[in-house]
Amino acid sequence: MRTQRTEVSSRSGTGVSAGIGTGISVLALLTLAACGTESGSGPGSGGGSDTARSDVPVTGVAWQVDSLTVGGKKTEAPEGSRLEIDPKGRATAYFGCNHIGARAEVEGDRITLSEPSRTEMACGEDVDAFEKAAVSALDGELTAKLSGEKLTLTAEGGGTMALSEERPADLTGTRWAVNTLVDGETATSVPADLPKERVPHLTFGEDGTVQGNYGCNAYRGKATVKDATITFGPPAGTKKLCPEAEMETERAVLAALDGPATYTIKGSTLTITADGGRGITAKAVPAETEGGQGQG
């Protein structure tokens, strides 16, 4: 497993932190404008499609990054690229490789960032190139346009980033593929070379059950959902032994799905956190890819 180590930097004038900070400034302005108006009756309300409306909130929204256009060349964003600022002023961004974050303080139309951090992952050439271009595009003065559920950020040089609001997936009935294991402040990627049928996953049923695979063994158990909490009952499943990498993954998943845990869904990402800080994040898997990935 590859550990994503968080590197904290005190630099705020250039690079990743400055770029994200500028993007957040634009989002904050939109948020403040929205707070001063009453909600409309729906997506079709308001005077025009290019008007920032309070019925499409900016903070607390998972913005999916769709594409980046620089020098007239449009590049589609890697799968899962997103940008978000929460109501408490915490900004996060992901452009297909590293997770980028910063604490954001809003004062008028300005944002002050502190404790900037990013993971240090080695990724593919194309993904790495997009991440660098995206961070660069968010550096400097930006113009924002909110049109319905679409957000466009335009840099002084003419480069644009297109984003759209990502609707949260349903907890039940969705196949959730686990991609990250969390232990307190440490986030560890699920090994990329796990056999396809043993990539840890879980599916919640309408009948209060959960089933899937821990990374080696298949399982089924009870899962009681109430408000933002899931209480996992003792699981029943197979008792196979697998290579150590798979067993290590299984032990980490088991620790997160034991007893009561809190959960959040932002877009297509599910986060489950148990007592003690053990947890997982998982990605919603399209239904058409589920075939052949049963309880193996």
Side-chain angles (χ1 to χ4, degrees):
M1 292 189 286
R2 181 189 302 158
T3 299
Q4 300 177 359
R5 300 188 182 279
T6 300
E7 179 181 67
V8 178
S9 170
S10 61
R11 293 174 298 173
S12 61
T14 60
V16 172
S17 301
I20 296 302
T22 307
I24 297 167
S25 297
V26 177
L27 296 181
L29 288 172
L30 292 173
T31 304
L32 292 173
C35 290
T37 59
E38 295 183 359
S39 298
S41 59
S45 64
S49 61
D50 293 338
T51 301
R53 299 190 313 271
S54 58
D55 59 343
V56 184
V58 175
T59 59
V61 175
W63 290 104
Q64 172 183 297
V65 180
D66 298 322
S67 63
L68 181 67
T69 302
V70 178
K73 180 181 179 181
K74 180 179 179 180
T75 304
E76 298 298 321
E79 182 180 357
S81 295
R82 62 207 306 270
L83 176 66
E84 182 177 358
I85 178 172
D86 68 26
K88 295 182 180 179
R90 181 67 186 174
T92 57
Y94 173 76
F95 300 118
C97 185
N98 288 288
H99 293 272
I100 304 164
R103 188 177 300 279
E105 182 180 353
V106 181
E107 185 175 354
D109 62 351
R110 309 297 269 174
I111 291 288
T112 301
L113 295 180
S114 61
E115 303 176 26
S117 62
R118 67 189 299 271
T119 56
E120 294 290 345
M121 301 267 302
C123 302
E125 184 177 346
D126 290 344
V127 173
D128 185 62
F130 185 91
E131 181 179 280
K132 291 178 179 177
V135 170
S136 178
L138 290 177
D139 189 13
E141 297 246 339
L142 298 171
T143 301
K145 178 186 286 187
L146 188 61
S147 177
E149 297 177 354
K150 298 290 185 179
L151 176 67
T152 302
L153 302 178
T154 304
E156 285 184 306
T160 61
M161 179 178 289
L163 309 94
S164 57
E165 183 179 351
E166 187 177 14
R167 295 295 186 181
D170 292 327
L171 176 67
T172 58
T174 299
R175 182 188 178 97
W176 297 100
V178 180
N179 52 25
T180 305
L181 310 172
V182 179
D183 186 0
E185 297 298 319
T186 302
T188 306
S189 300
V190 168
D193 56 355
L194 284 181
K196 187 176 181 180
E197 70 277 7
R198 290 179 183 163
V199 173
H201 60 86
L202 59 159
T203 302
F204 295 90
E206 296 284 356
D207 58 353
T209 61
V210 60
Q211 61 181 319
N213 192 291
Y214 288 126
C216 174
N217 288 286
Y219 69 94
R220 183 182 178 89
K222 290 288 187 181
T224 303
V225 181
K226 184 177 181 180
D227 299 326
T229 301
I230 303 174
T231 301
F232 294 93
T238 58
K239 303 285 185 185
K240 296 183 293 185
L241 290 177
C242 298
E244 180 56 25
E246 296 167 32
M247 297 305 297
E248 186 179 354
T249 297
E250 177 164 297
R251 288 190 289 270
V253 175
L254 269 167
L257 307 183
D258 182 19
T262 59
Y263 82 96
T264 60
I265 298 176
K266 294 184 178 180
S268 59
T269 299
L270 168 68
T271 301
I272 297 176
T273 307
D275 292 341
R278 304 295 293 270
I280 61 171
T281 62
K283 187 80 172 175
V285 179
E288 60 268 21
T289 68
E290 294 185 8
Q293 295 188 39
Q295 297 182 37

